[in-house]
Amino acid sequence: MRPDPARILRLAARAMARHGLAHAYGHVSIRLDAAHFLVTPASPLGLVSTSEPGVIVPLDGDLPPGALPEVRIHREIYRARPGVGGVCRVQPPAAMALSALGETPRALHGLGTYFAPKPPLWPGVALVRDDEQAVRVAEMMGDARAIVLSGNGVVTAGDTLEEAAGLAFFLEDAARIELALLPARAAGIAAREYTPEEVEKRAVKAGGLYERMWQYLCFGDPEWQV
């Protein structure tokens, strides 16, 4: 039986807030079919209630009432990548701090390998609220699992929304490692990056990796027990 998309959306939204990956802003979405996706409403992700159905957005046409302007980013990613089933647009603090240095996290530990060699950095500092900019963000992201928006957070994309939510956590963890190593880097001590061969062996889905992260992200949410 297919999980209820609206329930997955609510769980992901609240998980992003619970784990400090989003604050008053941000949005997550889940693909419904080849022509539509469901996105969170214009409210803080941590306040998305169990009765919230979300906003259905068509891949073609105007954004419907209730969809934030930046939801255009989600739409362009879904248009460009038919295999993507979920997108998270959040503001993890370590990734944002690193972007202020003009950098994104490298593959320095296991979770960082999922973005090897490192996520692209969108250079614009303005919020992406028009179609042209949204198309360009999606183009720069390409097939990557994430893109970092300079000073404005990150966007992750996965085969499912559960996976995209896990990737948001992975990316922030990689950014924390990168920031923690800045003093060593200033002292001339270089961190060891994973080689392409090591990345291939490490960045896998085996062992229910995303499933276990999803359980961790949702633990404590009453709706998770339903």
Side-chain angles (χ1 to χ4, degrees):
M1 182 176 179
R2 184 188 179 199
D4 176 16
R7 176 173 174 267
I8 298 299
L9 188 81
R10 295 190 297 268
L11 286 168
R14 296 194 295 265
M16 295 297 95
R18 185 183 308 112
H19 293 275
L21 301 175
H23 38 65
Y25 314 112
H27 21 91
V28 302
S29 67
I30 184 169
R31 189 190 289 271
L32 296 176
D33 53 42
H36 304 85
F37 64 94
L38 186 70
V39 70
T40 45
S43 65
L45 292 181
L47 299 181
V48 174
S49 72
T50 56
S51 62
E52 175 57 61
V55 180
I56 296 177
V57 181
L59 292 191
D60 295 311
D62 297 332
L63 292 182
L68 290 162
E70 273 203 316
V71 169
R72 289 177 171 84
I73 298 174
H74 299 243
R75 184 173 64 185
E76 296 308 326
I77 292 172
Y78 287 125
R79 280 175 171 171
R81 298 168 61 177
V84 166
V87 175
C88 293
R89 165 73 176 94
V90 290
Q91 302 84 17
M96 289 180 67
L98 200 59
S99 78
L101 296 173
E103 298 185 17
T104 62
R106 296 166 293 165
L108 302 180
H109 78 319
L111 299 184
T113 61
Y114 289 83
F115 314 99
K118 60 181 182 179
L121 177 65
W122 173 253
V125 297
L127 294 174
V128 179
R129 290 178 165 175
D130 63 74
D131 292 338
E132 181 182 355
Q133 292 290 89
V135 169
R136 290 176 60 197
V137 169
E139 288 175 347
M140 177 177 278
M141 186 179 187
D143 293 329
R145 292 184 170 100
I147 185 168
V148 178
L149 310 176
S150 296
N152 281 324
V154 308
V155 180
T156 62
D159 293 346
T160 63
L161 178 52
E162 296 97 315
E163 184 176 312
L167 289 168
F169 185 93
F170 290 3
L171 183 59
E172 179 66 352
D173 202 58
R176 284 194 290 261
I177 294 292
E178 193 81 60
L179 287 178
L181 291 172
L182 285 180
R185 195 166 82 180
I189 303 172
R192 178 189 176 279
E193 294 186 46
Y194 278 59
T195 66
E197 293 75 21
E198 290 171 328
V199 166
E200 184 176 358
K201 292 178 181 178
R202 177 58 182 83
V204 298
K205 296 185 180 182
L209 184 137
Y210 285 117
E211 290 80 0
R212 284 183 289 145
M213 176 53 67
W214 178 243
Q215 291 174 350
Y216 169 74
L217 291 173
C218 294
F219 182 78
D221 191 318
E223 193 170 14
W224 172 248
Q225 309 302 326
V226 177

